[in-house]
Amino acid sequence: MCGLAGLARIDGGLLSPSADRLLAHMSQTIAHRGPDADELLRDGPVGMAFRRLSLLDVAGGGQPLISDDGQLVLIANGEVYNHKELSDSLGDRAPLRTGSDCEVLLYLYRERGMRFLDDVRGMFGLVLWDRAAGKLVLARDRFGVKPVYYHRNRERLVFASEIKALFCDPDTPRELDWHAALSDQALNGSARFETEAPGTWFRDVEQVPAATIVEVDLSDGRERRHQYWNMPFAAQTSGLSDDEYIVAYRELLESSVGECAVADVGVGLFLSGGIDSATVGALAARTTDLHAFTVVNGSTLANGDAEAAHYVAQQLGLPHTQVLFPADSVPTPDEWRHLVWLTEMPQCGPEQFYKYQLHRHVTEQFPHIKAMLLGAASDEFNGGYSEGLSFDGTWAGFERAIGSLSLGSKLLGAPRLASWWDWEQPLLSEQALQASPDGRRRDLYQDYIAWKYRGVQRYNVWHEDRTAAGNGIEARVPFLDHRLIELSVSVPADRREHLLWDKRILRDGVRDLLPQRISERTKIGFYEGSEAHHTHRIFIEMLAQQGAQLLEEALAAPRARDYLDPDGLRAALAALVQDPRNGHVEAVLGLVNMGLLDSMTQTLPPPPSVAPARSVQEVLSHSSWGHVEKRARGLVLQHPHPSVEARVLLADQVTLVADVHNPKVLYVAVRGVLTYVVEHTDNPAWWRVLSKIDGHRSLNDCLAAADCQLEDVLIPLREAVDAGVVSLEPTTAVTGAQG
């Protein structure tokens, strides 16, 4: 993982010495991506800045890399996993002078021109200057794992690994594209497919598309694009049996993990407890020393992820660090602004926070580890979401579900036909929505894969790159080897149920690697499941703290009032504070992030290398899960101590009903349904406190009236808050979710 930036005149002119200051500023802005070395080059029409994170050929692999004849200059961020194979194919036509995996790209380009990436396997974002031809070449890997952004005007083009570096250039617009962002399915979550190439969230800032080479003529600015790879779909028949598909998938995965585990520095693994990261760990441990890291918070403890990760690490014999995030580990406003600016994405949320902090812990405590293996992006292409999306728990139900998503997309193009689908049963065929019906049935699964391909670029690789890069670590994603994807999407339609239902192609392929309880473990999203409210509460408190400071800052952003409803957002946050289960905090958080990004583009924050201070998290390292769980449960499931000054309220649509036959029994009715029973004989103090709640008394008043202490009712009080039955409202402005 490295950082690149630079600029080039595209009007036939030359850069003046004044460009050096801009190059230095851009380099400093992305210093976090490459803390080991930095280089600046300005020559003729081109200036380059490079920040290096040394993973291969630590001593001699610096950049820019220059061909033997001096005509080609390259800076590249990422890894070329098959570089030895490629250099062998060129023989003495590739006189390599370093051990860098990227140097071979110079000679591939010299020999093959715009087809130089056809056989390259890896993750990369690169800029190559062809001095002889007077052209600048920008390119990215097949899945856009490594970023390259640029802005151009009539005179010059500026480029960088992160958008914030472009803003160092006074000629680059600094404007969030509100309309495009709010319309993007990745942010608004509408039930439809989105397959258009993802944008950057900012006006007039482009990204080099995945699997694409952009060539710019420096004499006149003419731009030519070459897409060197497309998502391949097979014919409806295949010569492979199901078992042969599974064996081929396993062999390719072994190859990919083996290549991703190669480094001249330490390698780590983010271990979630699911089959994906466990498989990567099992395969990587065969070839390299590996240290595993796991997030332990209220949700991962409650949904079983933390325990499963502990079990996997023990089974594989991996050193394992479990980083604890207590229930009061609430990001400060400064920490959140820093993270949003680092990620440059409005979807920044709990997942990004925990992954960033885990990377940060690794950097602080294990500085020799500079590469991190991930199990990310497995589910998207091997059927990982089939069961969760299915209407009825069958493959047919999954196909109906993706058909519904496809219909939602098609109706956007024909809104006047939408009413025909308002009936209990549709009255028109989907063919009626085709612009040019040809009578052929569309393969909706291919549309689904195209949607997931976009989502990987829009969300997965974007945030995995930033949360790692923000700590000087390179994230590696073995499941995004294009050979794996090509195999899984080539499964014929009539075989998908057998191989791609609930990722069977992977589960069956790793039976010998993992215990059955892991290979067959039900998929659970990171920190998700029925206990996600433990995580949501923390981020609700973050938004509500200090008088809802982050929300109010977002509402004060330059263009926020044109798009956001202040009263509606404040009411939504207040509802979440009262009941963390009352909606999805991510929706409110996304809009707050939009406002924060809008503001920060106007007054640029310090570079991400200047991070807010945060104390090192507690680490759990007991060999017995029982010891780990006992310590963790008391901290990550412990809620902040309730304030006795807070006003005690029954939640909306909650009423207390006395038993007419036994006055010592109270029923709690939720939406008119008797849901809970509280008996005096079970807990007299809690029964008395509950009976004193009138919507006006403070918790202290209720305790006094019930003649008991807070400690007498602390556990049932927290349970009632968790269940959304009782809320504690601060007596002043909202400062955080209580209880």
PDB file of all heavy atoms in Angstrom, residues 162-183:
ATOM      1  N   GLU A 162      -6.186   9.663  -3.108  1.00  0.00           N
ATOM      2  CA  GLU A 162      -7.335  10.071  -2.313  1.00  0.00           C
ATOM      3  C   GLU A 162      -7.800  11.437  -2.778  1.00  0.00           C
ATOM      4  O   GLU A 162      -6.996  12.279  -3.205  1.00  0.00           O
ATOM      5  CB  GLU A 162      -6.992  10.072  -0.818  1.00  0.00           C
ATOM      6  CG  GLU A 162      -6.651   8.675  -0.310  1.00  0.00           C
ATOM      7  CD  GLU A 162      -6.427   8.609   1.200  1.00  0.00           C
ATOM      8  OE1 GLU A 162      -6.788   9.590   1.903  1.00  0.00           O
ATOM      9  OE2 GLU A 162      -5.899   7.587   1.676  1.00  0.00           O
ATOM     10  N   ILE A 163      -9.102  11.657  -2.665  1.00  0.00           N
ATOM     11  CA  ILE A 163      -9.721  12.875  -3.186  1.00  0.00           C
ATOM     12  C   ILE A 163      -9.205  14.098  -2.448  1.00  0.00           C
ATOM     13  O   ILE A 163      -9.014  15.170  -3.045  1.00  0.00           O
ATOM     14  CB  ILE A 163     -11.254  12.769  -3.081  1.00  0.00           C
ATOM     15  CG1 ILE A 163     -11.754  11.590  -3.935  1.00  0.00           C
ATOM     16  CG2 ILE A 163     -11.931  14.054  -3.500  1.00  0.00           C
ATOM     17  CD1 ILE A 163     -13.194  11.203  -3.691  1.00  0.00           C
ATOM     18  N   LYS A 164      -8.972  13.959  -1.155  1.00  0.00           N
ATOM     19  CA  LYS A 164      -8.550  15.106  -0.356  1.00  0.00           C
ATOM     20  C   LYS A 164      -7.254  15.724  -0.895  1.00  0.00           C
ATOM     21  O   LYS A 164      -7.039  16.932  -0.751  1.00  0.00           O
ATOM     22  CB  LYS A 164      -8.402  14.701   1.115  1.00  0.00           C
ATOM     23  CG  LYS A 164      -7.387  13.593   1.364  1.00  0.00           C
ATOM     24  CD  LYS A 164      -7.337  13.181   2.836  1.00  0.00           C
ATOM     25  CE  LYS A 164      -8.586  12.475   3.269  1.00  0.00           C
ATOM     26  NZ  LYS A 164      -8.750  11.132   2.664  1.00  0.00           N
ATOM     27  N   ALA A 165      -6.399  14.905  -1.515  1.00  0.00           N
ATOM     28  CA  ALA A 165      -5.156  15.445  -2.073  1.00  0.00           C
ATOM     29  C   ALA A 165      -5.432  16.323  -3.286  1.00  0.00           C
ATOM     30  O   ALA A 165      -4.695  17.280  -3.549  1.00  0.00           O
ATOM     31  CB  ALA A 165      -4.206  14.313  -2.442  1.00  0.00           C
ATOM     32  N   LEU A 166      -6.487  16.014  -4.038  1.00  0.00           N
ATOM     33  CA  LEU A 166      -6.853  16.862  -5.175  1.00  0.00           C
ATOM     34  C   LEU A 166      -7.259  18.258  -4.711  1.00  0.00           C
ATOM     35  O   LEU A 166      -7.059  19.243  -5.425  1.00  0.00           O
ATOM     36  CB  LEU A 166      -7.997  16.236  -5.972  1.00  0.00           C
ATOM     37  CG  LEU A 166      -7.767  14.851  -6.572  1.00  0.00           C
ATOM     38  CD1 LEU A 166      -9.001  14.422  -7.363  1.00  0.00           C
ATOM     39  CD2 LEU A 166      -6.536  14.836  -7.467  1.00  0.00           C
ATOM     40  N   PHE A 167      -7.854  18.331  -3.515  1.00  0.00           N
ATOM     41  CA  PHE A 167      -8.318  19.619  -3.005  1.00  0.00           C
ATOM     42  C   PHE A 167      -7.167  20.545  -2.625  1.00  0.00           C
ATOM     43  O   PHE A 167      -7.388  21.728  -2.331  1.00  0.00           O
ATOM     44  CB  PHE A 167      -9.247  19.412  -1.809  1.00  0.00           C
ATOM     45  CG  PHE A 167     -10.554  18.741  -2.160  1.00  0.00           C
ATOM     46  CD1 PHE A 167     -11.202  17.925  -1.250  1.00  0.00           C
ATOM     47  CD2 PHE A 167     -11.132  18.922  -3.405  1.00  0.00           C
ATOM     48  CE1 PHE A 167     -12.401  17.309  -1.556  1.00  0.00           C
ATOM     49  CE2 PHE A 167     -12.333  18.304  -3.731  1.00  0.00           C
ATOM     50  CZ  PHE A 167     -12.969  17.496  -2.799  1.00  0.00           C
ATOM     51  N   CYS A 168      -5.947  20.027  -2.606  1.00  0.00           N
ATOM     52  CA  CYS A 168      -4.789  20.903  -2.402  1.00  0.00           C
ATOM     53  C   CYS A 168      -4.616  21.838  -3.593  1.00  0.00           C
ATOM     54  O   CYS A 168      -4.010  22.917  -3.465  1.00  0.00           O
ATOM     55  CB  CYS A 168      -3.523  20.071  -2.231  1.00  0.00           C
ATOM     56  SG  CYS A 168      -3.504  18.995  -0.783  1.00  0.00           S
ATOM     57  N   ASP A 169      -5.110  21.414  -4.739  1.00  0.00           N
ATOM     58  CA  ASP A 169      -5.029  22.217  -5.959  1.00  0.00           C
ATOM     59  C   ASP A 169      -6.134  23.258  -5.949  1.00  0.00           C
ATOM     60  O   ASP A 169      -7.321  22.909  -5.913  1.00  0.00           O
ATOM     61  CB  ASP A 169      -5.176  21.293  -7.171  1.00  0.00           C
ATOM     62  CG  ASP A 169      -5.344  22.058  -8.469  1.00  0.00           C
ATOM     63  OD1 ASP A 169      -4.770  23.156  -8.589  1.00  0.00           O
ATOM     64  OD2 ASP A 169      -6.050  21.559  -9.362  1.00  0.00           O
ATOM     65  N   PRO A 170      -5.812  24.537  -5.969  1.00  0.00           N
ATOM     66  CA  PRO A 170      -6.859  25.566  -5.893  1.00  0.00           C
ATOM     67  C   PRO A 170      -7.816  25.551  -7.074  1.00  0.00           C
ATOM     68  O   PRO A 170      -8.924  26.097  -6.974  1.00  0.00           O
ATOM     69  CB  PRO A 170      -6.058  26.881  -5.843  1.00  0.00           C
ATOM     70  CG  PRO A 170      -4.717  26.543  -6.399  1.00  0.00           C
ATOM     71  CD  PRO A 170      -4.460  25.114  -6.038  1.00  0.00           C
ATOM     72  N   ASP A 171      -7.435  24.903  -8.186  1.00  0.00           N
ATOM     73  CA  ASP A 171      -8.319  24.863  -9.347  1.00  0.00           C
ATOM     74  C   ASP A 171      -9.292  23.692  -9.325  1.00  0.00           C
ATOM     75  O   ASP A 171     -10.169  23.587 -10.189  1.00  0.00           O
ATOM     76  CB  ASP A 171      -7.484  24.793 -10.639  1.00  0.00           C
ATOM     77  CG  ASP A 171      -6.709  26.072 -10.890  1.00  0.00           C
ATOM     78  OD1 ASP A 171      -7.157  27.138 -10.417  1.00  0.00           O
ATOM     79  OD2 ASP A 171      -5.650  26.006 -11.534  1.00  0.00           O
ATOM     80  N   THR A 172      -9.156  22.787  -8.373  1.00  0.00           N
ATOM     81  CA  THR A 172     -10.087  21.660  -8.261  1.00  0.00           C
ATOM     82  C   THR A 172     -11.299  22.091  -7.450  1.00  0.00           C
ATOM     83  O   THR A 172     -11.151  22.571  -6.321  1.00  0.00           O
ATOM     84  CB  THR A 172      -9.409  20.456  -7.580  1.00  0.00           C
ATOM     85  OG1 THR A 172      -8.308  20.032  -8.377  1.00  0.00           O
ATOM     86  CG2 THR A 172     -10.388  19.308  -7.425  1.00  0.00           C
ATOM     87  N   PRO A 173     -12.515  21.919  -7.981  1.00  0.00           N
ATOM     88  CA  PRO A 173     -13.717  22.302  -7.227  1.00  0.00           C
ATOM     89  C   PRO A 173     -13.813  21.529  -5.917  1.00  0.00           C
ATOM     90  O   PRO A 173     -13.440  20.351  -5.846  1.00  0.00           O
ATOM     91  CB  PRO A 173     -14.865  21.920  -8.171  1.00  0.00           C
ATOM     92  CG  PRO A 173     -14.250  21.836  -9.526  1.00  0.00           C
ATOM     93  CD  PRO A 173     -12.844  21.379  -9.312  1.00  0.00           C
ATOM     94  N   ARG A 174     -14.314  22.182  -4.899  1.00  0.00           N
ATOM     95  CA  ARG A 174     -14.539  21.534  -3.606  1.00  0.00           C
ATOM     96  C   ARG A 174     -16.038  21.564  -3.330  1.00  0.00           C
ATOM     97  O   ARG A 174     -16.531  22.442  -2.625  1.00  0.00           O
ATOM     98  CB  ARG A 174     -13.797  22.258  -2.488  1.00  0.00           C
ATOM     99  CG  ARG A 174     -12.295  22.325  -2.645  1.00  0.00           C
ATOM    100  CD  ARG A 174     -11.717  23.082  -1.455  1.00  0.00           C
ATOM    101  NE  ARG A 174     -10.298  23.372  -1.601  1.00  0.00           N
ATOM    102  CZ  ARG A 174      -9.617  24.134  -0.758  1.00  0.00           C
ATOM    103  NH1 ARG A 174     -10.243  24.685   0.283  1.00  0.00           N
ATOM    104  NH2 ARG A 174      -8.330  24.362  -0.953  1.00  0.00           N
ATOM    105  N   GLU A 175     -16.730  20.617  -3.889  1.00  0.00           N
ATOM    106  CA  GLU A 175     -18.190  20.640  -3.751  1.00  0.00           C
ATOM    107  C   GLU A 175     -18.736  19.218  -3.718  1.00  0.00           C
ATOM    108  O   GLU A 175     -18.545  18.439  -4.654  1.00  0.00           O
ATOM    109  CB  GLU A 175     -18.823  21.404  -4.914  1.00  0.00           C
ATOM    110  CG  GLU A 175     -20.324  21.584  -4.756  1.00  0.00           C
ATOM    111  CD  GLU A 175     -20.933  22.376  -5.899  1.00  0.00           C
ATOM    112  OE1 GLU A 175     -20.178  23.025  -6.648  1.00  0.00           O
ATOM    113  OE2 GLU A 175     -22.162  22.325  -6.044  1.00  0.00           O
ATOM    114  N   LEU A 176     -19.418  18.902  -2.643  1.00  0.00           N
ATOM    115  CA  LEU A 176     -20.105  17.629  -2.539  1.00  0.00           C
ATOM    116  C   LEU A 176     -21.270  17.608  -3.524  1.00  0.00           C
ATOM    117  O   LEU A 176     -22.008  18.588  -3.659  1.00  0.00           O
ATOM    118  CB  LEU A 176     -20.623  17.451  -1.109  1.00  0.00           C
ATOM    119  CG  LEU A 176     -21.196  16.092  -0.745  1.00  0.00           C
ATOM    120  CD1 LEU A 176     -20.093  15.063  -0.638  1.00  0.00           C
ATOM    121  CD2 LEU A 176     -21.967  16.185   0.571  1.00  0.00           C
ATOM    122  N   ASP A 177     -21.445  16.496  -4.204  1.00  0.00           N
ATOM    123  CA  ASP A 177     -22.547  16.360  -5.160  1.00  0.00           C
ATOM    124  C   ASP A 177     -23.754  15.774  -4.426  1.00  0.00           C
ATOM    125  O   ASP A 177     -23.993  14.567  -4.429  1.00  0.00           O
ATOM    126  CB  ASP A 177     -22.124  15.466  -6.323  1.00  0.00           C
ATOM    127  CG  ASP A 177     -23.102  15.534  -7.486  1.00  0.00           C
ATOM    128  OD1 ASP A 177     -24.275  15.905  -7.255  1.00  0.00           O
ATOM    129  OD2 ASP A 177     -22.703  15.220  -8.620  1.00  0.00           O
ATOM    130  N   TRP A 178     -24.522  16.636  -3.795  1.00  0.00           N
ATOM    131  CA  TRP A 178     -25.645  16.203  -2.962  1.00  0.00           C
ATOM    132  C   TRP A 178     -26.659  15.386  -3.751  1.00  0.00           C
ATOM    133  O   TRP A 178     -27.106  14.330  -3.300  1.00  0.00           O
ATOM    134  CB  TRP A 178     -26.332  17.418  -2.338  1.00  0.00           C
ATOM    135  CG  TRP A 178     -25.649  17.987  -1.147  1.00  0.00           C
ATOM    136  CD1 TRP A 178     -24.642  18.908  -1.125  1.00  0.00           C
ATOM    137  CD2 TRP A 178     -25.914  17.680   0.227  1.00  0.00           C
ATOM    138  NE1 TRP A 178     -24.273  19.197   0.168  1.00  0.00           N
ATOM    139  CE2 TRP A 178     -25.044  18.468   1.018  1.00  0.00           C
ATOM    140  CE3 TRP A 178     -26.814  16.832   0.869  1.00  0.00           C
ATOM    141  CZ2 TRP A 178     -25.048  18.417   2.411  1.00  0.00           C
ATOM    142  CZ3 TRP A 178     -26.824  16.773   2.254  1.00  0.00           C
ATOM    143  CH2 TRP A 178     -25.940  17.556   3.012  1.00  0.00           C
ATOM    144  N   HIS A 179     -27.042  15.893  -4.907  1.00  0.00           N
ATOM    145  CA  HIS A 179     -28.103  15.223  -5.655  1.00  0.00           C
ATOM    146  C   HIS A 179     -27.679  13.823  -6.073  1.00  0.00           C
ATOM    147  O   HIS A 179     -28.432  12.854  -5.904  1.00  0.00           O
ATOM    148  CB  HIS A 179     -28.479  16.047  -6.892  1.00  0.00           C
ATOM    149  CG  HIS A 179     -29.574  15.419  -7.703  1.00  0.00           C
ATOM    150  ND1 HIS A 179     -30.901  15.477  -7.320  1.00  0.00           N
ATOM    151  CD2 HIS A 179     -29.542  14.701  -8.862  1.00  0.00           C
ATOM    152  CE1 HIS A 179     -31.636  14.826  -8.214  1.00  0.00           C
ATOM    153  NE2 HIS A 179     -30.838  14.338  -9.154  1.00  0.00           N
ATOM    154  N   ALA A 180     -26.479  13.690  -6.600  1.00  0.00           N
ATOM    155  CA  ALA A 180     -26.009  12.372  -7.031  1.00  0.00           C
ATOM    156  C   ALA A 180     -25.880  11.427  -5.842  1.00  0.00           C
ATOM    157  O   ALA A 180     -26.229  10.241  -5.936  1.00  0.00           O
ATOM    158  CB  ALA A 180     -24.667  12.504  -7.751  1.00  0.00           C
ATOM    159  N   ALA A 181     -25.392  11.935  -4.722  1.00  0.00           N
ATOM    160  CA  ALA A 181     -25.210  11.080  -3.545  1.00  0.00           C
ATOM    161  C   ALA A 181     -26.545  10.594  -3.000  1.00  0.00           C
ATOM    162  O   ALA A 181     -26.725   9.406  -2.713  1.00  0.00           O
ATOM    163  CB  ALA A 181     -24.434  11.836  -2.470  1.00  0.00           C
ATOM    164  N   LEU A 182     -27.497  11.503  -2.850  1.00  0.00           N
ATOM    165  CA  LEU A 182     -28.797  11.128  -2.304  1.00  0.00           C
ATOM    166  C   LEU A 182     -29.555  10.198  -3.246  1.00  0.00           C
ATOM    167  O   LEU A 182     -30.413   9.425  -2.810  1.00  0.00           O
ATOM    168  CB  LEU A 182     -29.629  12.377  -2.023  1.00  0.00           C
ATOM    169  CG  LEU A 182     -29.086  13.287  -0.913  1.00  0.00           C
ATOM    170  CD1 LEU A 182     -29.867  14.595  -0.870  1.00  0.00           C
ATOM    171  CD2 LEU A 182     -29.158  12.585   0.440  1.00  0.00           C
ATOM    172  N   SER A 183     -29.243  10.258  -4.536  1.00  0.00           N
ATOM    173  CA  SER A 183     -29.909   9.400  -5.523  1.00  0.00           C
ATOM    174  C   SER A 183     -29.267   8.035  -5.630  1.00  0.00           C
ATOM    175  O   SER A 183     -29.837   7.127  -6.249  1.00  0.00           O
ATOM    176  CB  SER A 183     -29.879  10.075  -6.909  1.00  0.00           C
ATOM    177  OG  SER A 183     -30.481  11.352  -6.875  1.00  0.00           O
TER     178      SER A 183
END
